[in-house]
Amino acid sequence: MSEKNDGANRDVTKRSARERLQAEREQQKKKDKRRRALLVGGAVVGVLGLAAVVGVIAANTGKGDKTAKGPVAAPSGATGKDALAIQTGKDGAKSTLTVWEDFRCPACKAFEDNYRDTLHDLENRGLLKIEYHLVTLIDGNMRGTGSLNAANAAACAQDAGKFGAFHDVLFVNQPQETDDAYAKNAKLLELSGKVDGLDTPAFRSCVEDGTHNSWVAKSHEAFRAGKFKGTPTVLLDGKDIFGDQANPLTPQKLKEKVEANAGVTAKPSASASASASPAVSSSASASGKSGSLPKAGSPSPSGSKTVSKGTTED
């Protein structure tokens, strides 16, 4: 009996071992099946994900900076190399002032506020012509599109023969540097109402369509290629007369230089320098943050205020 019992027990043990092994094999097969399913599913998801990424890239090709799209449409009467300057004043003027400006730049506003009366006087007398170059430095430093949109609107005003007046309106009404108010076309159109005859359907269409955006972008690239240090950059007959802090420019000094170049001898006038308002300087570091804004410039020998160098390029 004991031998039979031992044999039966061995049979049970073998059967149990076979069943356990079979169960383990079945379990392993299930695991392998699940693993294969996961691998296949993951591969499908990966392919779909890659396709989605490729689709996004393709969909967004050319959608980046709107200034890079479309042909360069220079405003009417643009002059200079590649027609990147807008000229005011008379062609026959002996002196040429080249000004690189950004409509969001506080130091550019300070320059305009201090020198506006003097510049207009010299232009009206036929002694000076000004070539304005528009850049978008603050858009890059502070983010936004106000510099671009305002420059485009100014170019649209040039099409209408109203650049000078609208240029002045934009600087007189310039928002705080951190307020990208000029990014809104509605604001620019509102300000155009301050210039007689400018707010027309053609002007509105030009502003809304960004007709001269590519031209503005090309102007900014010329500024970068010129390796200018900041805005405003002011050159008189090609010579930088604004960046010399050892001999700071004043409205009276500019007037005397232009008159001398034209052979005009006149007594120094206090009116031009007296009309200068307190200057404000602005700087932007390579990190793109705006610097502090002093309340006023330092007194010059003539009694006017000097405007310190403005926003710098990244």
Side-chain angles (χ1 to χ4, degrees):
M1 288 292 292
S2 61
E3 292 180 359
K4 290 182 179 180
N5 289 337
D6 290 340
N9 290 334
R10 284 195 297 272
D11 290 342
V12 170
T13 299
K14 290 180 181 179
R15 187 167 59 254
S16 297
R18 285 197 299 271
E19 290 174 352
R20 186 168 58 253
L21 181 59
Q22 183 66 27
E24 290 175 355
R25 287 175 177 173
E26 291 296 329
Q27 188 175 7
Q28 187 62 41
K29 287 180 180 180
K30 291 179 180 179
K31 288 182 180 179
D32 292 342
K33 186 176 181 180
R34 283 198 300 269
R35 186 179 295 109
R36 285 196 298 272
L38 288 173
L39 289 173
V40 172
V44 171
V45 171
V47 170
L48 292 176
L50 179 60
V53 170
V54 172
V56 169
I57 292 174
N60 285 294
T61 299
K63 284 189 177 181
D65 188 348
K66 61 183 178 180
T67 66
K69 294 184 63 177
V72 175
S76 177
T79 187
K81 183 180 179 181
D82 296 328
L84 293 178
I86 294 177
Q87 180 183 307
T88 61
K90 299 176 182 177
D91 287 335
K94 292 289 186 180
S95 296
T96 301
L97 195 72
T98 303
V99 182
W100 297 82
E101 289 183 320
D102 184 324
F103 286 111
R104 286 181 70 187
C105 166
C108 297
K109 173 178 171 58
F111 169 77
E112 289 294 335
D113 289 348
N114 275 269
Y115 289 80
R116 184 177 296 116
D117 291 345
T118 300
L119 296 179
H120 288 337
D121 174 64
L122 293 171
E123 285 182 311
N124 292 337
R125 293 165 61 193
L127 304 180
L128 179 72
K129 63 177 179 286
I130 305 175
E131 295 181 348
Y132 289 100
H133 296 260
L134 308 181
V135 300
T136 58
L137 195 58
I138 303 297
D139 283 356
N141 289 350
M142 303 295 292
R143 306 305 177 203
T145 60
S147 300
L148 168 65
N149 289 13
N152 172 68
C156 294
Q158 169 66 11
D159 289 338
K162 306 283 185 179
F163 172 82
F166 191 55
H167 164 275
D168 289 352
V169 165
L170 288 174
F171 277 116
V172 169
N173 294 274
Q174 184 190 80
Q176 292 294 317
E177 186 180 16
T178 53
D179 179 8
D180 195 19
Y182 285 170
K184 300 176 182 178
N185 287 330
K187 179 64 176 178
L188 298 170
L189 294 173
E190 174 191 332
L191 291 176
S192 72
K194 296 180 179 293
V195 179
D196 290 342
L198 179 57
D199 189 3
T200 64
F203 174 78
R204 285 178 167 263
S205 177
C206 183
V207 171
E208 296 286 359
D209 294 344
T211 299
H212 299 298
N213 282 352
S214 293
W215 176 82
V216 175
K218 189 171 182 180
S219 177
H220 183 73
E221 285 306 310
F223 172 80
R224 293 174 64 92
K227 301 186 184 302
F228 299 115
K229 295 180 179 179
T231 54
T233 290
V234 183
L235 312 174
L236 180 61
D237 296 324
K239 181 181 179 181
D240 187 350
I241 59 170
F242 196 63
D244 185 1
Q245 296 301 314
N247 183 27
L249 184 69
T250 67
Q252 182 62 27
K253 287 181 181 179
L254 176 61
K255 179 173 179 289
E256 291 170 359
K257 286 176 181 291
V258 172
E259 287 179 339
N261 194 35
V264 175
T265 56
K267 293 181 180 181
S269 171
S271 60
S273 59
S275 66
S277 59
V280 179
S281 67
S282 169
S283 63
S285 65
S287 62
K289 295 183 179 179
S290 177
S292 60
L293 303 180
K295 292 183 179 179
S298 57
S300 70
S302 66
S304 65
K305 302 291 184 179
T306 62
V307 181
S308 61
K309 196 63 179 175
T311 304
T312 56
E313 175 65 286
D314 279 345

